[in-house]
Amino acid sequence: MEAEKWGRRIRAFRKLKGFTQESFAKDLGVSVSVLGEIERGNREPNEQFIKEVAKALNVSIEELTPN
């Protein structure tokens, strides 16, 4: 369940900031399939990944964290 919430938040912020999955995955240094798995909730993002996502999206970790 937690993975799905993270995935939805990451996807929403990514789209809000105008990134495609391909360009965002490239910026993060991960494959599109890994990013897709995280966004779909099939893979839980680790703490380092969350920090990198927040930095790339120019948002705080608190903003990114699901409620």
Side-chain angles (χ1 to χ4, degrees), residues 6 9 13 17 50-51 53-55 57-65:
W6 276 110
R9 296 287 291 179
F13 273 100
K17 299 286 184 167
I50 292 166
K51 287 178 182 177
V53 167
K55 184 177 178 183
L57 293 173
N58 199 27
V59 296
S60 69
I61 292 174
E62 290 76 26
E63 287 178 280
L64 194 59
T65 303

Side-chain angles (χ1 to χ4, degrees), residues 1-8 38 40-45:
M1 288 296 211
E2 195 67 23
E4 289 177 20
K5 291 178 183 177
W6 276 110
R8 283 196 300 265
I38 290 170
R40 288 190 301 277
N42 297 335
R43 179 184 281 201
E44 182 118 18

Side-chain angles (χ1 to χ4, degrees), residues 30-57:
V30 299
S31 68
V32 174
S33 61
V34 167
L35 180 58
E37 283 186 25
I38 290 170
E39 287 189 353
R40 288 190 301 277
N42 297 335
R43 179 184 281 201
E44 182 118 18
N46 64 32
E47 190 176 331
Q48 184 60 37
F49 184 82
I50 292 166
K51 287 178 182 177
E52 291 173 14
V53 167
K55 184 177 178 183
L57 293 173

Side-chain angles (χ1 to χ4, degrees), residues 17-32:
K17 299 286 184 167
F19 286 99
T20 64
Q21 232 181 11
E22 292 80 11
S23 67
F24 195 52
K26 185 177 179 183
D27 284 355
L28 294 173
V30 299
S31 68
V32 174

